[in-house]
């Protein structure tokens, strides 16, 4: 009995199995209804690109916004052009472009839209719209490109361009697709994740020929795009335009900072370029011209160019010596025994104030020698290394030899020579001494900085010993979020009591010292220091750093003008005009203004990236 039941159960399972196998065979081999359904219906995922965030200045004046434009798409299967010449004339394209693009579109797909022409303006769209009835298979989609209210600020702002293959391949979050636009430089790149927003997705039903049949599930699964966050900068765009006008026909930089906040008021890189020309269809052509320009207009010089600070560095030498107790405000050094020359001035009482006022090279030569050798032990080589080590540690606090952390991707550290550096240069320990490195005493030799760093030095002195990291963007988005890094004061390790004599020396340098008459502002007390940065490739560079007013400073500035000579010749007058414009809202010294707007310092031999530091002390010091 049990054997019979077992056979019945076995037969039952065999029959069930045969039924399933038969059904699968029917569905997969005989019946083609599911295949037809899959072929005839599909879901197309359409990515919707959000508008990039806009950029505003410190007074909420719009600097960068998005202008709607139109992209022309071609569907080869539907496209029909009876009169090719009329079509090319209508869109301002060549027959070669028409033929090659049509060929690419057909190779891509005969039934899917292909980008035929991008970034047509609304005027172009209005002009051609009526004629499109004669050209079936061509459709428009709306997109946007960056539009600029001003030609100034382009280097720091940066630009947006189509993503390159390497960036596309190496991206971490798989956000971008081929053909997407991305911030390439400046704050457009640094704040890319904030500016780009969040993509939207729209699902459409299409048949096997690519024809849309309507929204999928009535659009319930669609995701709306979210526009990028707006950036609120500390830049005064009117001041930026004014500074830019003063730097026409010149190569160099201007950086102005609000000392109390670290907000960058203006950042000029000269020569510059028109940012709007990198936002349209002619990007490739214009970019190539800029990239091949020997004056390097694409280089953002304030955080990237290399210069020796020259005599502006004497301010730091003075503060380091005072903090170490090596010198005092009343310390006196004569010109005797110094291999460096000095400006003509009264040496009967050559104290620290007088040395800053007249930029006395021998004074700082002797002061640097005393910093290195006093309170050290051993032979001359060992004492030089001990002294340089403590000196470089204090100088590094001012940002030398490291990045300040500005919100730009191209900041360079510069070079602050230390014991390790010279051991490498001279190939071993105890192989160099003060006589090999004394050019550091006046900001020459192997010491290399960028203009941004020197503007920050002016802010440090204005604040009497501290700074907030310089930054362009002070708030992000509607909630005005800001990185705490830019709100945290950084102290440089110099007691505030030591800044008084330095500031007084800077004040008198402007009123009665190395700053010429064009650099004086009659009704504003400005504290400044001139510098002449040596340049092996041509005329020396003119350098000036300053802050104003003397009490409760509102602006700190650094100006570098390449191949313009002494700091009082070009950099100081330009800085004084910018300070006057910012503090008063106008410039009363019209003759000085006109002079430097029209003055040209374009060199025959360009050294636009600044000097490379020498391996040994071979500089001819002035």
């Amino acid at each position: 009995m049990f054997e019979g039941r077992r056979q019945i159960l076995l037969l039952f399972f065999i029959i069930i199995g045969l039924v399933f196998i038969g059904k699968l065979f029917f569905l997969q081999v005989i019946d083609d209804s599911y295949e037809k359904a899959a072929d005839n219906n599909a879901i197309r995922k359409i990515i919707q690109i959000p508008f990039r965030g806009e950029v505003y200045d410190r007074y909420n004046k719009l600097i960068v916004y998005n202008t709607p434009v139109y992209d022309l798409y071609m569907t080869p299967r539907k496209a029909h052009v009876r009169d090719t010449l009329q079509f090319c004339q209508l869109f301002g394209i060549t027959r070669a472009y028409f033929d090659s693009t049509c060929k690419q579109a057909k190779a891509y797909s005969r039934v899917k839209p292909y980008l035929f022409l991008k970034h047509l303006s609304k005027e172009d769209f209005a002009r051609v719209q009526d004629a499109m009835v004669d050209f079936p298979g061509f459709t428009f989609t709306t997109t946007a490109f960056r539009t600029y209210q001003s030609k100034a600020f382009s280097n720091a702002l940066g630009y947006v361009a189509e993503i390159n293959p390497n960036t596309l391949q190496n991206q971490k979050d798989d956000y971008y697709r081929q053909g997407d636009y991305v911030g390439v430089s400046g704050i457009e790149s640094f704040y890319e994740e904030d500016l780009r927003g969040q993509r939207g997705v729209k699902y459409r039903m299409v048949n096997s020929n690519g024809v849309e049949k309507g929204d999928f599930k009535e659009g319930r699964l669609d995701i709306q795009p979210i526009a990028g966050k707006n950036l609120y900068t500390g830049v005064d765009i009117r001041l930026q335009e004014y500074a830019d006008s003063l730097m026409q026909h010149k190569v160099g930089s201007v950086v102005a900072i609000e000392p109390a906040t670290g907000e960058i008021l203006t950042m000029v890189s000269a020569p510059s370029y028109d940012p709007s020309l990198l936002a349209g269809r002619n990007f490739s052509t214009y970019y190539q011209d800029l990239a091949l320009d020997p004056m390097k207009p694409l280089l953002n010089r304030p955080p990237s160019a290399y210069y020796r600070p020259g005599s502006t560095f004497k301010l730091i030498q003075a503060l380091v010596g005072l903090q170490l107790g090596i010198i005092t405000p009343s310390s006196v050094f004569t010109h005797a025994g110094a291999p460096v020359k000095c400006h003509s001035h009264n040496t009967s009482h050559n104290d620290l104030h007088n040395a800053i006022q007249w930029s006395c090279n021998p004074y700082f030569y002797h002061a640097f020698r005393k910093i290195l050798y006093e309170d050290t032990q051993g032979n001359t080589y060992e004492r030089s290394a001990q002294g340089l080590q403590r000196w470089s540690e204090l100088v590094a606090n001012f940002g030398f030899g490291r990045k300040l952390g500005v919100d730009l991707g191209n900041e360079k550290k510069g070079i602050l020579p230390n014991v390790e550096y010279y051991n490498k240069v001279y190939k071993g320990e105890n192989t160099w001494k003060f006589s090999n490195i004394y050019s550091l005493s006046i900001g020459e030799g192997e010491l290399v900085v960028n203009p941004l760093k020197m503007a920050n030095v002016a802010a440090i002195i204005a604040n009497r010993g501290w700074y907030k990291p310089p930054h362009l963007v002070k708030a992000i988005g509607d909630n005005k979020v800001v990185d705490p890094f830019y709100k945290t004061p950084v102290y440089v390790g110099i007691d505030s009591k030591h800044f008084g004599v330095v500031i007084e020396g800077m004040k008198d340098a402007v009123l009665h010292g190395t700053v010429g008459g064009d650099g004086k502002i009659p009704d504003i007390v400005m504290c400044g220091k001139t510098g002449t940065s040596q340049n092996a490739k041509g005329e020396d560079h003119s350098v000036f750093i300053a802050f104003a007013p003397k009490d409760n400073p509102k602006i700190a500035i650094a100006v570098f003008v390449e191949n313009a000579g002494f700091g009082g010749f070009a950099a100081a007058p330009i800085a004084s005009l910018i300070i006057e414009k910012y503090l008063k809202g106008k410039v009363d010294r019209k003759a000085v203004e006109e002079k430097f707007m029209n003055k040209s310092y374009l060199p025959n031999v360009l050294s636009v990236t600044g000097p490379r530091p020498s391996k040994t002390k071979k500089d001819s010091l002035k």
Side-chain angles (χ1 to χ4, degrees):
M1 181 176 62
F2 288 106
E3 182 65 22
R5 291 180 178 177
R6 188 180 69 81
Q7 292 177 353
I8 292 172
L9 288 173
L10 180 61
L11 179 62
F12 174 80
F13 283 112
I14 291 174
I15 293 172
I16 295 297
L18 290 173
V19 171
F20 274 107
I21 292 173
K23 185 64 174 178
L24 288 172
F25 179 82
F26 176 82
L27 292 174
Q28 296 184 10
V29 179
I30 299 174
D31 187 6
D32 63 350
S33 61
Y34 286 94
E35 180 182 4
K36 290 180 179 180
D39 288 340
N40 291 329
N41 293 281
I43 301 172
R44 176 176 293 168
K45 182 180 179 180
I46 302 173
I47 302 296
Q48 296 184 298
I49 307 299
F51 283 119
R52 285 180 75 84
E54 297 174 332
V55 183
Y56 295 81
D57 85 339
R58 69 186 296 107
Y59 302 113
N60 291 324
K61 184 177 181 179
L62 188 61
I63 301 175
V64 186
Y65 60 97
N66 304 290
T67 295
V69 291
Y70 300 87
D71 291 342
L72 179 65
Y73 281 83
M74 170 191 181
T75 304
R77 183 173 179 175
K78 300 178 180 180
H80 183 62
V81 179
R82 293 188 181 90
D83 190 337
T84 305
L85 178 61
Q86 178 191 1
F87 185 90
C88 292
Q89 289 177 342
L90 184 66
F91 288 99
I93 59 175
T94 63
R95 177 60 186 267
Y97 178 88
F98 176 87
D99 292 338
S100 63
T101 308
C102 288
K103 184 177 180 180
Q104 294 169 10
K106 292 175 182 178
Y108 171 72
S109 172
R110 294 189 63 84
V111 298
K112 295 181 180 180
Y114 182 82
L115 180 60
F116 188 89
L117 199 61
K118 61 183 178 180
H119 290 178
L120 294 171
S121 67
K122 61 182 180 180
E123 291 79 13
D124 290 334
F125 176 73
R127 179 175 53 83
V128 305
Q129 190 174 19
D130 291 341
M132 295 310 295
V133 295
D134 298 327
F135 306 110
F138 289 87
T139 57
F140 289 97
T141 61
T142 305
T143 181
F145 71 82
R146 300 299 253 175
T147 306
Y148 304 89
Q149 293 280 40
S150 172
K151 293 182 179 180
F153 195 47
S154 55
N155 294 85
L157 180 65
Y159 60 91
V160 175
E162 189 172 335
I163 191 169
N164 63 55
N166 289 335
T167 304
L168 185 67
Q169 183 177 357
N170 297 328
Q171 63 175 316
K172 297 179 181 180
D173 54 5
D174 294 327
Y175 178 87
Y176 301 101
R177 303 170 304 158
Q178 184 64 45
D180 284 349
Y181 282 76
V182 62
V184 176
S185 64
I187 61 176
E188 288 275 19
S189 174
F190 192 90
Y191 292 99
E192 169 65 19
E193 292 187 8
D194 295 300
L195 287 167
R196 72 187 185 186
Q198 297 181 24
R199 295 183 185 280
V201 179
K202 191 170 187 176
Y203 297 96
R204 301 283 290 176
M205 295 291 295
V206 297
N207 63 20
S208 59
N209 292 325
V211 178
E212 292 190 0
K213 308 298 289 184
D215 292 334
F216 177 65
K217 292 189 176 182
E218 299 179 347
R220 291 192 299 271
L221 300 181
D222 293 351
I223 301 173
Q224 295 300 316
I226 300 176
K229 297 175 182 177
N230 296 333
L231 301 183
Y232 300 89
T233 72
V235 173
D236 182 341
I237 194 62
R238 291 182 299 177
L239 187 69
Q240 177 79 24
E241 291 170 344
Y242 182 72
D244 189 69
S245 68
L246 289 171
M247 290 299 290
Q248 295 298 309
H249 317 299
K250 303 170 186 68
V251 178
S253 303
V254 175
V255 182
I257 299 173
E258 185 177 59
T261 63
E263 294 171 9
I264 294 174
L265 301 171
T266 181
M267 179 179 281
V268 176
S269 180
S272 187
Y273 60 92
D274 183 351
S276 63
L277 296 178
L278 289 179
R281 285 183 289 164
N282 297 323
F283 172 87
S284 298
T285 301
Y286 189 58
Y287 179 85
Q288 185 177 17
D289 292 341
L290 292 174
L292 296 176
D293 191 328
M295 298 184 73
K296 301 186 185 301
L298 289 174
L299 174 67
N300 190 19
R301 289 173 173 81
S304 300
Y306 273 171
Y307 303 93
R308 299 181 178 99
S311 293
T312 59
F313 187 72
K314 294 171 183 175
L315 303 174
I316 296 178
Q317 293 282 43
L319 292 167
V320 169
L322 290 168
Q323 182 65 26
L324 292 174
I326 304 300
I327 62 173
T328 67
S330 59
S331 293
V332 174
F333 296 104
T334 67
H335 293 176
V340 289
K341 298 178 181 179
C342 190
H343 308 283
S344 299
H345 67 96
N346 182 8
T347 60
S348 61
H349 185 66
N350 198 27
D351 61 6
L352 181 56
H353 175 280
N354 198 37
I356 293 173
Q357 177 183 354
W358 294 103
S359 194
C360 181
N361 288 336
Y363 185 99
F364 289 97
Y365 168 86
H366 289 300
F368 184 50
R369 188 178 189 279
K370 191 173 183 181
I371 290 172
L372 259 60
Y373 286 153
E374 191 160 304
D375 299 329
T376 57
Q377 298 178 346
N379 60 37
T380 301
Y381 298 100
E382 292 172 342
R383 295 175 66 194
S384 295
Q386 293 169 22
L388 186 69
Q389 182 62 34
R390 66 182 182 184
W391 172 87
S392 62
E393 289 174 356
L394 279 175
V395 174
N397 292 340
F398 287 83
F400 284 71
R402 61 178 177 84
K403 295 182 178 181
L404 293 172
V406 67
D407 47 353
L408 292 168
N410 58 346
E411 183 187 3
K412 300 293 179 63
K413 295 191 300 183
I415 297 176
L416 172 61
N418 54 19
V419 174
E420 181 181 357
Y421 178 91
Y422 283 120
N423 285 346
K424 183 177 180 180
V425 169
Y426 289 93
K427 304 184 185 306
E429 298 179 2
N430 297 327
T431 55
W432 53 272
K433 55 185 177 179
F434 172 74
S435 61
N436 300 113
I437 64 172
Y438 69 78
S439 55
L440 296 178
S441 64
I442 57 172
E444 295 291 344
E446 295 79 16
L447 187 66
V448 174
V449 298
N450 59 47
L452 173 66
K453 205 177 300 289
M454 294 312 299
N456 196 56
V457 168
I460 291 169
I461 298 173
N463 291 332
R464 295 177 180 258
W466 61 273
Y467 69 94
K468 290 182 180 178
H471 53 286
L472 289 160
V473 174
K474 64 178 182 178
I476 304 172
D478 295 337
N479 296 328
K480 303 296 178 69
V481 177
V482 63
D483 190 334
F485 173 75
Y486 297 118
K487 292 293 186 181
T488 306
V490 179
Y491 293 87
V492 299
I494 306 293
D495 296 339
S496 60
K497 64 182 180 181
H498 296 310
F499 286 86
V501 62
V502 172
I503 291 172
E504 288 297 324
M506 294 173 69
K507 182 193 72 173
D508 285 341
V510 173
L511 295 177
H512 313 292
T514 56
V515 177
D518 287 342
K520 299 176 182 179
I521 313 173
D523 49 355
I524 294 175
V525 179
M526 178 177 70
C527 302
K529 181 70 188 73
T530 56
T532 306
S533 177
Q534 291 187 1
N535 172 33
K537 298 180 181 180
E539 294 293 327
D540 290 340
H541 305 320
S542 179
V543 184
F544 184 70
I545 69 172
F547 64 87
K550 175 178 175 288
D551 300 317
N552 192 22
K554 301 297 184 183
I555 181 173
I557 193 169
V559 176
F560 284 67
V561 183
E562 295 193 13
N563 305 96
F566 180 64
F569 293 167
I574 290 172
S576 72
L577 289 168
I578 295 170
I579 288 175
E580 183 178 4
K581 179 74 171 179
Y582 181 68
L583 295 180
K584 296 169 57 178
K586 62 178 183 176
V587 172
D588 295 325
R589 296 173 296 150
K590 295 299 181 182
V592 178
E593 180 182 65
E594 183 178 358
K595 174 181 177 181
F596 284 95
M597 279 189 175
N598 297 322
K599 185 72 173 179
S600 174
Y601 291 103
L602 294 178
N604 293 323
V605 180
L606 296 173
S607 55
V608 295
T609 57
R612 302 305 303 177
S614 57
K615 294 297 184 182
T616 58
K617 181 192 68 60
K618 296 181 179 180
D619 302 287
S620 176
L621 302 178
K622 296 181 180 178

